[in-house]
Amino acid sequence: MPKGKYYVVWKGRKTGIYTTWEDCAKQVKGFVGAEYKAFATRAEAESAFQGKYWRYAGKPATNGKWRFAAEPPIAESYCVDAACSGSSGRLEYQGVHTRTGKLIFHQGPFKNGTNNVGEFLAIVHILGWLKQKGLDSPVYSDSGTALAWVKKKRCNTNLVKDKENATLFEFIDRAEDWLVENRVSNPVLKWDTRVWGEIPADFNRK
């Protein structure tokens, strides 16, 4: 169990919020199927306790930190993230609704991709989805590189095209064409991980 000031027990001998690991342990050690997690602040713990364990299980302690920031991101927004095994490898990307964490889309896995390519495609994907829905909600990404590529309407990757990632390059071509052919009115913003913690679309594989 990671160190923290407040421990939420969703399932144990007695549920609740505890301020020491010793008190928490009494409720969960030896209890089959115990559900518990540490949080840095009481506000985070109280918010988590009102929700479901599965929304927090396996996720970093900074997940949800943004809700308690002095200047938080816009909650009624959408955010994206990518995950890639190595500098070039198995790539996935997804988009979620920031406030609720509801999954909007998930793409992949693709062979021989890069994280920046995934971030770029994810941003364009959510922008296309928002345009179809007629929504002007902001979009967040924690990739400065991908944000720059979207602004220039070009995926400026050094990734080498091969037989295994041909489909991925088809996605890139379509995304670039979409950016050229469509006017983007949604604000596309940088997620401040240092202040807000992990972006809600994070794959939690760090």
Side-chain angles (χ1 to χ4, degrees):
M1 187 69 178
K3 292 181 179 180
K5 294 182 179 179
Y6 299 92
Y7 301 86
V8 174
V9 176
W10 289 271
K11 185 177 180 182
R13 294 181 181 86
K14 185 177 180 181
T15 62
I17 299 173
Y18 298 87
T19 56
T20 68
W21 166 239
E22 289 74 18
D23 287 341
C24 175
K26 292 176 183 177
Q27 314 308 322
V28 301
K29 279 196 171 182
F31 189 95
V32 178
E35 299 176 350
Y36 60 99
K37 187 174 179 66
F39 293 88
T41 68
R42 174 169 286 279
E44 289 176 276
E46 289 176 348
S47 177
F49 188 50
Q50 296 303 315
K52 301 293 185 181
Y53 171 68
W54 61 263
R55 294 187 61 182
Y56 302 90
K59 297 182 178 180
T62 56
N63 190 66
K65 179 180 177 181
W66 63 270
R67 298 177 185 275
F68 310 99
E71 296 183 9
I74 300 166
E76 196 53 45
S77 62
Y78 294 82
C79 58
V80 299
D81 198 29
C84 187
S85 56
S87 57
S88 175
R90 182 177 182 272
L91 171 67
E92 299 171 75
Y93 60 87
Q94 63 187 11
V96 308
H97 182 245
T98 304
R99 179 175 57 80
T100 63
K102 179 183 178 181
L103 181 69
I104 305 302
F105 68 85
H106 173 273
Q107 292 288 334
F110 302 97
K111 293 182 178 180
N112 293 356
T114 67
N115 195 72
N116 283 331
V117 166
E119 296 273 6
F120 170 81
L121 291 174
I123 295 171
V124 180
H125 191 134
I126 198 70
L127 287 173
W129 183 84
L130 289 167
K131 189 174 183 68
Q132 287 183 339
K133 298 293 184 180
L135 300 174
D136 59 0
S137 307
V139 171
Y140 285 97
S141 169
D142 60 11
S143 172
T145 298
L147 290 168
W149 289 356
V150 169
K151 186 175 181 179
K152 294 179 180 178
K153 303 182 180 182
R154 178 174 175 77
C155 182
N156 193 28
T157 180
N158 293 321
L159 184 64
V160 177
K161 185 177 180 179
D162 58 33
K163 291 182 179 180
E164 290 193 325
N165 63 18
T167 299
L168 188 61
F169 273 87
E170 290 178 10
F171 275 54
I172 292 172
D173 290 341
R174 286 162 50 189
E176 291 178 337
D177 289 344
W178 189 92
L179 288 171
V180 171
E181 296 167 1
N182 292 270
R183 180 178 175 273
V184 176
S185 58
N186 304 77
V188 183
L189 309 171
K190 179 72 165 62
W191 183 269
D192 191 339
T193 304
R194 182 182 62 82
V195 176
W196 298 333
E198 297 295 344
I199 195 166
D202 185 64
F203 279 84
N204 305 304
R205 297 175 184 171
K206 296 180 178 65

